[in-house]
Amino acid sequence: MANKTFVITAILNPPYTMLVESHKKLSGNDRFEGFAIDLAKELSNILGFNYTFKLVDDDKYGGETSPGNWNGMLGEVMDGTADFCIADISITSSRASAFAFTMPWLNLGISILYVKPRAAAPSLLAFLDPFKSWETRHTGDR
């Protein structure tokens, strides 16, 4: 990876990837800031590669439009427009079957919340329940 230049596709979504607000006209990677940008910079420093950020053309994360065809950032990686993407993207089964993902770099702890099933309220005649077993034992076959 050393001394190679990669194209990284990204999508604008604060705080991961944002445009820098400045009165100057910025160009190249200087136009971007955010967590994903910082992550790319640190990886670049550690592994010794260069990179160019590119915003995804269709403003989509990526979905399979037809078998083997993808749009969004994933489509750009698939067709070679970009080498990889760094973004807040969910790993779904269809995406995982077509692309290699790293371990997630951020876990938001999103989950599904539901109410545990509750036992039904006792009936008004519940006080007679202990006598049910006595009744079958003592009034059985006569």
Side-chain angles (χ1 to χ4, degrees):
M1 288 187 100
N3 298 324
K4 286 183 104 177
T5 299
F6 295 103
V7 175
I8 303 173
T9 185
I11 191 166
L12 292 176
N13 188 20
Y16 307 105
T17 304
M18 303 173 288
L19 291 173
V20 174
E21 294 181 16
S22 175
H23 62 281
K24 299 179 196 173
K25 181 162 174 68
L26 300 174
S27 62
N29 293 338
D30 294 335
R31 298 176 296 156
F32 306 107
E33 64 182 349
F35 190 78
I37 309 305
D38 295 342
L39 181 60
K41 184 176 182 179
E42 287 302 314
L43 286 172
S44 167
N45 291 337
I46 293 167
L47 299 174
F49 65 86
N50 300 309
Y51 63 93
T52 301
F53 265 100
K54 173 201 175 309
L55 289 179
V56 63
D57 291 333
D58 61 5
D59 286 332
K60 294 184 179 181
Y61 284 87
E64 195 168 21
T65 56
S66 62
N69 294 317
W70 293 77
N71 62 8
M73 292 185 294
L74 298 178
E76 290 186 358
V77 171
M78 182 69 79
D79 68 19
T81 304
D83 296 300
F84 54 93
C85 70
I86 298 179
D88 56 315
I89 188 167
S90 299
I91 303 171
T92 64
S93 60
S94 61
R95 288 173 176 168
S97 66
F99 298 92
F101 286 86
T102 64
M103 292 295 292
W105 43 267
L106 182 63
N107 185 355
L108 297 177
I110 297 172
S111 60
I112 297 173
L113 177 71
Y114 67 97
V115 176
K116 288 184 179 180
R118 296 185 183 130
S123 73
L124 292 175
L125 300 176
F127 68 93
L128 294 174
D129 286 349
F131 298 109
K132 284 185 181 174
S133 63
W134 179 84
E135 178 185 10
T136 53
R137 274 188 270 145
H138 296 291
T139 61
D141 297 333
R142 285 195 177 192

